[in-house]
Amino acid sequence: MPGSLLATPYPSAAEWKKLVEEFSPEAIAHKLLLSHVPYVFRDEPLKFALFRKTIADAFDVEPSNVFIVGSAMAGRSLKGKSIEKAYSSKSDIDTLIVSEHLFTTYVMKSLAWIKDCTKPDFTTKPHPTSPSVAADKTKHIFWLADSAHKGIWRPDSLPPEADARNEFFDKFSAVSLKTLGLQLSEDTVAKVNGRVARSFDDAVRDLTSSLSRLRKEFRNEPVEPEVDPSDNDMTASQKGS
């Protein structure tokens, strides 16, 4: 019956290939964010509610503004080449917080790191001398700007020495410990990572973009090279260090 595939809670790899052809990425994104119990909590709806409240309390937002994305949401990787890779208990819970205030706060704190690494030498005459910014810093500036202009702030776009990154991950480390206390089953992970969206519309656009890319990958259409800071910079276990 029409629409039944969109209502499938956790599509298989083969079903995902059909899903992205039959429905628009926007429709799938709305379904996943608004009417979908994340795969990681598929048998534990109460824990999902407690998890959202734990995150919300830590960042002073409403629980309804806390979402789970990534493989913990879908039950598998949503990258074309990795679509067969199912969620496992070794995976992180990737969390998305929707808050314009939080987004603005962390973008402003991120600018403090950019200020430090791009500050000119004002002692040179007759004009200040701009520093030569190393490649390992310019890549982080790009990653930060690339996400922020889309309304998404990613802590892993910043280098390990950035205060904004460390502050954010420190909070998530504390939440991970609380998650252990809420653990209701052996296969629920305790490692929690996150990012911040400026608005719900920005969150939808971000997920829609990923689903559009997935469709192109399934069709073997050309896609722009994608570099994920979390894959390129550090391992998951090092993100919060």
Side-chain angles (χ1 to χ4, degrees):
M1 95 185 213
S4 59
L5 188 55
L6 187 62
T8 301
Y10 313 107
S12 65
E15 287 173 331
W16 265 105
K17 293 177 181 180
K18 294 179 181 178
L19 183 64
V20 297
E21 288 296 338
E22 293 182 13
F23 297 91
S24 71
E26 293 84 358
I28 301 172
H30 275 92
K31 182 260 185 179
L32 291 174
L33 291 173
L34 290 178
S35 59
H36 179 78
V37 176
Y39 181 85
V40 66
F41 294 125
R42 63 196 181 283
D43 299 321
E44 309 175 291
L46 173 60
K47 184 173 180 183
F48 180 39
L50 293 173
F51 176 86
R52 299 180 87 180
K53 187 176 187 311
T54 300
I55 298 288
D57 288 347
F59 289 92
D60 195 24
V61 299
E62 292 298 320
S64 58
N65 288 343
V66 177
F67 302 87
I68 289 177
V69 294
S71 62
M73 168 192 66
R76 62 183 58 255
S77 170
L78 291 184
K79 295 183 179 179
K81 294 181 179 179
S82 304
I83 192 66
E84 298 286 350
K85 184 179 179 181
Y87 166 85
S88 75
S89 59
K90 296 180 180 179
S91 303
D92 294 347
I93 298 180
D94 292 316
T95 309
L96 177 71
I97 303 172
V98 175
S99 168
E100 183 174 7
H101 171 72
L102 207 60
F103 172 84
T104 302
T105 297
Y106 277 110
V107 168
M108 296 300 289
K109 288 182 177 182
S110 300
L111 291 177
W113 171 76
I114 294 179
K115 180 202 72 171
D116 290 341
C117 68
T118 59
K119 183 178 180 180
D121 181 357
F122 291 100
T123 65
T124 58
K125 303 296 182 181
H127 304 293
T129 303
S130 296
S132 177
V133 182
D136 64 342
K137 294 187 184 296
T138 58
K139 69 180 181 182
H140 286 288
I141 293 173
F142 168 77
W143 286 334
L144 175 67
D146 185 52
S147 294
H149 98 279
K150 300 172 186 174
I152 306 292
W153 181 80
R154 293 187 55 155
D156 56 4
S157 68
L158 293 168
E161 70 268 18
D163 290 340
R165 171 189 173 126
N166 290 322
E167 176 189 313
F168 189 82
F169 277 131
D170 283 347
K171 285 191 176 184
F172 267 92
S173 294
V175 169
S176 292
L177 295 176
K178 289 183 179 180
T179 303
L180 277 172
L182 295 173
Q183 191 160 342
L184 300 180
S185 72
E186 293 182 357
D187 67 347
T188 300
V189 298
K191 178 66 176 178
V192 183
N193 287 312
R195 64 189 71 176
V196 180
R198 178 179 52 190
S199 68
F200 180 75
D201 286 344
D202 288 318
V204 170
R205 278 190 288 270
D206 186 54
L207 183 52
T208 296
S209 176
S210 296
L211 293 169
S212 297
R213 182 185 182 89
L214 180 64
R215 174 191 280 175
K216 288 183 178 181
E217 289 173 338
F218 286 155
R219 293 174 174 176
N220 292 318
E221 295 177 357
V223 295
E224 291 186 9
E226 183 181 46
V227 179
D228 187 336
S230 63
D231 294 335
N232 187 271
D233 185 31
M234 308 181 85
T235 63
S237 61
Q238 295 173 305
K239 288 179 186 177
S241 60

